[in-house]
């Protein structure tokens, strides 16, 4: 069983930056796919970015050029550097992991259901 704990969220003005961290403990997959997902009140959970152990990353179009996902395998820690934050980026951010080496392709709604382990979430609020 894998435990995922997110941190680094908070409130920031539009244009500001935050860095989220996700520490994995317990059983962890040696070659894993991990990702960040966001859910706003009343909306479905959607993908922000995913990353494979070798650093291959996928980003939602809405965050390309502004967000960077990275993985420190030695520390079992996933990061999400968020720059030039926008109000539409507000929501609960979740760290997730799955056993498969390759991160799944396809629409985010389908992809979300393919991740087996989830953190409790960390709130990010971006004001105008």
């Amino acid at each position: 069983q894998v435990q995922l704990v997110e941190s680094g969220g908070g409130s920031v003005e539009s244009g500001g930056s935050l860095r989220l961290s996700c520490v994995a403990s317990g059983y962890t997959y040696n070659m894993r796919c991990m990702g960040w997902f966001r859910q706003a009140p009343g909306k479905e959970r959607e993908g922000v970015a995913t990353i494979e152990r070798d650093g291959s990353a996928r980003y939602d179009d809405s965050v390309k050029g502004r967000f960077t996902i990275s993985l420190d395998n030695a520390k079992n820690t996933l990061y999400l550097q968020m720059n030039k934050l926008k109000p539409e980026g507000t929501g609960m951010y979740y760290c997730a992991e799955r056993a498969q080496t390759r991160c799944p392709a396809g629409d985010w709604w389908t992809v979300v259901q393919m991740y087996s382990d989830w953190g409790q979430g960390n709130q990010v609020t971006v004001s105008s």
Side-chain angles (χ1 to χ4, degrees):
Q1 186 173 352
V2 177
Q3 293 177 307
L4 303 173
V5 180
E6 304 99 333
S7 64
S11 298
V12 65
E13 294 184 348
S14 181
S17 299
L18 288 172
R19 189 178 76 157
L20 301 181
S21 298
C22 171
V23 179
S25 61
Y27 175 81
T28 59
Y29 304 115
N30 187 45
M31 300 292 290
R32 64 188 185 274
C33 162
M34 300 188 73
W36 288 100
F37 299 81
R38 178 181 63 236
Q39 186 167 24
K43 299 185 67 176
E44 296 178 342
R45 190 170 300 183
E46 59 187 24
V48 176
T50 62
I51 188 169
E52 297 171 354
R53 187 175 177 86
D54 65 357
S56 298
R58 173 191 178 186
Y59 295 92
D60 183 73
D61 289 340
S62 66
V63 305
K64 286 183 178 179
R66 299 187 297 113
F67 289 13
T68 302
I69 187 171
S70 61
L71 179 66
D72 188 331
N73 291 298
K75 297 181 179 180
N76 289 327
T77 303
L78 177 72
Y79 301 97
L80 182 67
Q81 179 66 46
M82 304 183 292
N83 298 326
K84 299 179 179 180
L85 281 160
K86 301 177 180 180
E88 53 263 42
T90 293
M92 186 71 73
Y93 283 71
Y94 297 89
C95 171
E97 183 179 47
R98 77 191 225 104
Q100 187 171 314
T101 300
R102 298 289 299 276
C103 290
D107 65 274
W108 288 124
W109 172 245
T110 300
V111 168
V112 163
Q113 302 175 64
M114 299 175 71
Y115 284 76
S116 58
D117 298 291
W118 294 83
Q120 293 296 109
N122 202 240
Q123 180 68 32
V124 171
T125 302
V126 185
S127 61
S128 300

